[in-house]
Amino acid sequence: MHNQSEIAATLALWKSHWQQAKLEWNPLLRLQEPIWCLSHEEAGKEGLTGSFAMIRLTDHRIVINLEEIVERNITDYAIEVLAHEIGHHIFTPANLYDNAILLNRIRFALPGIEDRAPMVSNLYADFLINDKLQRINQLRMSEVYQAINSEDNFSEFWTLMMRTYEYLWRLNRGALATNLSFHSKKIDADASLLASLVRSYAKNWIQGGGRFAVMVYPYLMEDKTFQDARKKILVLLDAEDAGKGAMDISGMTEIDLEGYDEVIDMRKEAISLKESEADKKKKKSLGIDKNKFGGEGPRNGYMGPGSYIDLMKQVNANADEQRLVNAYYKEIALPHLIDFPVESSENLSMDLPEGLETWDIGDPIEEVDWLQSAIASPALIPGLTTQKRTYGSDSDTVISENPLNLYIGIDCSGSMVNPKQNFSWPVLAATVLGLSALRAGASVMGCLSGEPGDYLETDGFITDETDLLTTLTSYLGTGYAYGIERLRKPFEEKPTKKSHIVIVTDNDIFSMLNSDTQTEQTHWELAELALKNAGCHGTMVLHSPADYNKDLVIRLKNMGWNVYYVTNEAELLKFAFEFSQQNYAYA
């Protein structure tokens, strides 16, 4: 522990410069005073390790480790350091959404090494802020770097960073990049380009993020080189975990390709360099799959769920994976949900006369009851003796809301993909169906079934969106088909309310229907009983050509089941939308 009096004096000095640091940006800026930590231990409790300062976008706070400030001999640079941290809050990344957008663009430009994105994003933001403070505000940002520079900082990557600052601020070679043994023509050329890029995109910094990442990509490709560079650069990372603790950030499922052009070509080239089985597997988990630019969703412009989860965990390291996968499918489903919340019908009702009240000048003339007015008084004085009749309905309400409950059974056998790793059309369709029904006021029961093997279902018919999505987005990967036996629990007896049954499966369902139940009742009989008890509303959605198993399909139809064919999984979305529109929207 350093001299307590020296740390206390530093605290007093830095506190006195807080107002001036805010004035470097805006005299009207409202921002809480930093959290001043007097020791490494206090800083660690706030989540600050490795550096002397950091920001948090979740509560708009700045954290300063005064012991680290004293150790690094930068006590005289209060305004510079504080103004830099303020810059992260009001310039870049500024807020959780822009932070996530920037990270997304940078990840896209770092194929195979997406885990480096938070560090690259932090360094890019530092360049933008520091260049503004040094050139326009005339602060001593270069001196701060000179103070924290030391021989053990240096690596090829650190030299690139320092040479870029030398180009930005027209400093002599070696003013910041002091270890000349790392200098090369390549680093000079790259640093010059980076300086131009930082200056060019100062006002449109989100557009420049991907290009910045392309430039530093070769310096971070090798794991050993990266780990070495990261250790040396740790002192600069004040916004790497800025989004830690953030709640859901919407609008991040679509791939953001604005202004990418040459970045895309570089990405394609970099991806094609590595084609081992391990790389293919990793690539697939990141959503960089067979569709253009990694899109796997209902349009090519959606990133895969694995890639989305990775991004959101970089935005917030504490993010819950199940919550993220729920949010992913919900966000893609939302544009396909029905417009109106309930099916409505008008009750037949009659208008019944209920009484009389005074007709006044402002009322329509046709409302006057002349007979009752004459009975009340032979002298017709408008607003005094004129009468009108009031009417009521023989029904309590004109609109009745009566959506049927919904049972969704999804084939989750070995042939189905894991919806957390690869985009799943059946799960998206089920999400559209389930959320539409919940919006309409219905209860929904969801069931994943891969049998013989496992099944997972909600606790009966529920109205909780989170519980439903958590069930639907889970994964089993067992057996060969949806198990008809799952219909026994909800529909062996007639439930109190009618239900739609929707089962999403393929031709293997017929093998399941023909399989032995080891009871007197066959699976065909159970399917018929369940449909009858549900109220005769049932649809089998078959991923199959229409002419397969014709006789067995006719048998299902004769029971009363609707059979809907999809020849590719994308057609499931069309089915889900049409079904919801027909059953859970206004007639």
Side-chain angles (χ1 to χ4, degrees):
M1 179 64 124
H2 274 71
N3 187 303
Q4 289 288 343
S5 60
E6 192 178 356
I7 292 174
T10 303
L11 172 61
L13 176 68
W14 281 52
K15 274 192 167 194
S16 71
H17 284 105
W18 172 242
Q19 291 304 324
Q20 180 57 43
K22 287 198 291 182
L23 289 173
E24 297 295 336
W25 290 97
N26 190 319
L28 303 177
L29 176 64
R30 297 179 65 187
L31 196 65
Q32 283 181 281
E33 193 171 306
I35 297 169
W36 308 103
C37 300
L38 302 179
S39 67
H40 297 313
E41 187 182 0
E42 282 183 31
K45 287 176 183 174
E46 291 293 340
L48 172 56
T49 56
S51 184
F52 47 81
M54 71 171 222
I55 65 149
R56 290 197 300 241
L57 291 172
T58 45
D59 59 359
H60 308 291
R61 295 307 296 270
I62 293 167
V63 182
I64 302 290
N65 181 351
L66 292 165
E67 186 174 10
E68 187 85 20
I69 298 286
V70 170
E71 282 180 1
R72 293 188 177 274
N73 295 315
I74 51 173
T75 53
D76 294 337
Y77 298 103
I79 292 176
E80 283 76 10
V81 173
L82 293 173
H84 176 91
E85 300 308 320
I86 292 168
H88 278 304
H89 275 300
I90 72 167
F91 178 23
T92 172
N95 59 62
L96 288 164
Y97 181 76
D98 284 349
N99 183 49
I101 291 284
L102 179 62
L103 266 177
N104 197 9
R105 291 194 171 198
I106 287 173
R107 279 173 57 83
F108 190 80
L110 299 175
I113 54 168
E114 286 88 347
D115 59 315
R116 277 76 154 159
M119 184 184 94
V120 172
S121 175
N122 194 160
L123 295 174
Y124 174 60
D126 285 352
F127 274 118
L128 293 160
I129 294 166
N130 290 336
D131 189 45
K132 189 255 186 212
L133 293 178
Q134 171 96 9
R135 281 190 313 113
I136 299 168
N137 298 58
Q138 305 288 303
L139 295 185
R140 302 166 298 166
M141 306 312 294
S142 58
E143 291 183 31
V144 176
Y145 280 101
Q146 283 171 334
I148 62 176
N149 251 337
S150 64
E151 285 303 305
D152 63 335
N153 271 127
F154 274 90
S155 64
E156 193 180 40
F157 189 58
W158 182 279
T159 304
L160 175 70
M161 298 291 104
M162 294 303 112
R163 282 294 286 143
T164 302
Y165 279 122
E166 288 174 356
Y167 276 107
L168 279 170
W169 301 332
R170 298 182 179 177
L171 302 175
N172 293 329
R173 176 189 293 278
L176 296 178
T178 54
N179 190 333
L180 298 179
S181 66
F182 283 99
H183 288 227
S184 66
K185 285 183 179 178
K186 180 180 184 300
I187 284 180
D188 281 355
D190 288 346
S192 175
L193 281 170
L194 281 175
S196 298
L197 187 148
V198 168
R199 196 67 56 78
S200 300
Y201 287 96
K203 290 186 177 173
N204 299 304
W205 52 268
I206 285 181
Q207 277 73 17
R211 290 176 171 82
F212 179 86
V214 168
M215 292 295 300
V216 300
Y217 180 83
Y219 294 86
L220 302 174
M221 282 179 67
E222 298 302 322
D223 284 344
K224 186 178 183 308
T225 311
F226 165 69
Q227 294 303 337
D228 186 45
R230 180 173 171 75
K231 277 180 201 164
K232 296 179 190 310
I233 220 150
L234 207 57
V235 66
L236 303 181
L237 302 182
D238 56 347
E240 195 179 33
D241 294 326
K244 200 167 185 178
M247 298 299 279
D248 301 339
I249 301 171
S250 60
M252 299 308 301
T253 55
E254 290 190 52
I255 291 178
D256 171 26
L257 293 177
E258 187 182 341
Y260 258 116
D261 34 62
E262 74 274 13
V263 177
I264 290 167
D265 293 335
M266 181 286 308
R267 182 182 179 84
K268 278 179 172 174
E269 190 178 323
I271 289 172
S272 65
L273 289 175
K274 302 177 178 182
E275 284 301 329
S276 70
E277 284 306 309
D279 287 321
K280 282 179 184 174
K281 191 174 179 183
K282 181 180 181 184
K283 193 170 76 171
K284 202 169 185 184
S285 75
L286 290 168
I288 310 164
D289 219 328
K290 49 187 175 284
N291 290 326
K292 188 179 180 186
F293 309 139
E296 298 179 284
R299 300 198 311 276
N300 280 342
Y302 285 88
M303 70 172 81
S307 189
Y308 172 82
I309 290 167
D310 283 351
L311 166 64
M312 300 314 287
K313 282 196 164 182
Q314 286 185 336
V315 172
N316 172 20
N318 296 338
D320 177 69
E321 188 169 307
Q322 184 60 59
R323 182 172 178 146
L324 290 177
V325 78
N326 288 359
Y328 173 83
Y329 284 99
K330 179 180 177 181
E331 189 168 304
I332 298 177
L334 282 176
H336 306 283
L337 299 191
I338 53 168
D339 297 329
F340 301 106
V342 290
E343 179 185 0
S344 42
S345 59
E346 289 191 13
N347 292 333
L348 292 174
S349 64
M350 295 178 63
D351 290 336
L352 301 177
E354 287 188 339
L356 295 165
E357 60 184 48
T358 304
W359 178 91
D360 213 337
I361 295 286
D363 295 334
I365 188 70
E366 60 269 17
E367 288 186 0
V368 178
D369 189 322
W370 298 108
L371 176 61
Q372 291 299 326
S373 298
I375 293 171
S377 170
L380 293 175
I381 305 171
L384 193 62
T385 64
T386 46
Q387 303 283 297
K388 68 177 180 179
R389 187 167 291 283
T390 59
Y391 294 89
S393 170
D394 68 343
S395 171
D396 288 341
T397 177
V398 178
I399 302 294
S400 67
E401 300 175 1
N402 192 29
L404 298 186
N405 285 343
L406 178 64
Y407 177 92
I408 310 171
I410 305 285
D411 179 344
C412 196
S413 57
S415 59
M416 308 298 283
V417 299
N418 185 336
K420 288 186 176 70
Q421 294 172 359
N422 298 94
F423 182 82
S424 169
W425 286 101
V427 169
L428 177 63
T431 303
V432 171
L433 292 171
L435 293 184
S436 295
L438 290 179
R439 274 186 167 193
S443 297
V444 182
M445 181 171 182
C447 176
L448 299 184
S449 169
E451 298 181 68
D454 294 333
Y455 71 93
L456 178 70
E457 61 189 11
T458 56
D459 186 13
F461 288 89
I462 60 172
T463 56
D464 187 285
E465 180 185 289
T466 302
D467 284 355
L468 178 64
L469 289 178
T470 298
T471 299
L472 294 177
T473 58
S474 297
Y475 182 65
L476 303 174
T478 59
Y480 65 86
Y482 168 85
I484 293 296
E485 191 63 32
R486 294 308 119 228
L487 294 175
R488 187 179 300 282
K489 183 177 170 184
F491 300 115
E492 188 173 36
E493 304 292 333
K494 193 175 268 192
T496 53
K497 191 171 182 183
K498 288 183 180 179
S499 301
H500 293 289
I501 301 176
V502 177
I503 296 173
V504 180
T505 183
D506 57 21
N507 273 305
D508 290 332
I509 194 67
F510 296 112
S511 299
M512 179 61 68
L513 283 163
N514 288 327
S515 66
D516 186 10
T517 60
Q518 281 146 13
T519 68
E520 290 183 9
Q521 186 185 48
T522 67
H523 279 140
W524 286 98
E525 289 167 340
L526 177 56
E528 186 171 20
L529 176 68
L531 182 64
K532 181 183 171 188
N533 284 341
C536 300
H537 302 276
T539 303
M540 289 264 189
V541 185
L542 298 181
H543 186 195
S544 156
D547 55 350
Y548 276 29
N549 294 302
K550 248 185 186 171
D551 294 345
L552 300 177
V553 169
I554 290 168
R555 187 173 173 184
L556 276 177
K557 287 181 174 179
N558 288 340
M559 286 181 187
W561 285 91
N562 295 315
V563 178
Y564 188 103
Y565 292 100
V566 295
T567 52
N568 63 69
E569 288 195 320
E571 292 174 5
L572 282 169
L573 184 61
K574 182 171 177 278
F575 162 76
F577 176 75
E578 289 175 354
F579 180 91
S580 300
Q581 200 71 43
Q582 289 164 11
N583 296 292
Y584 292 107
Y586 281 118

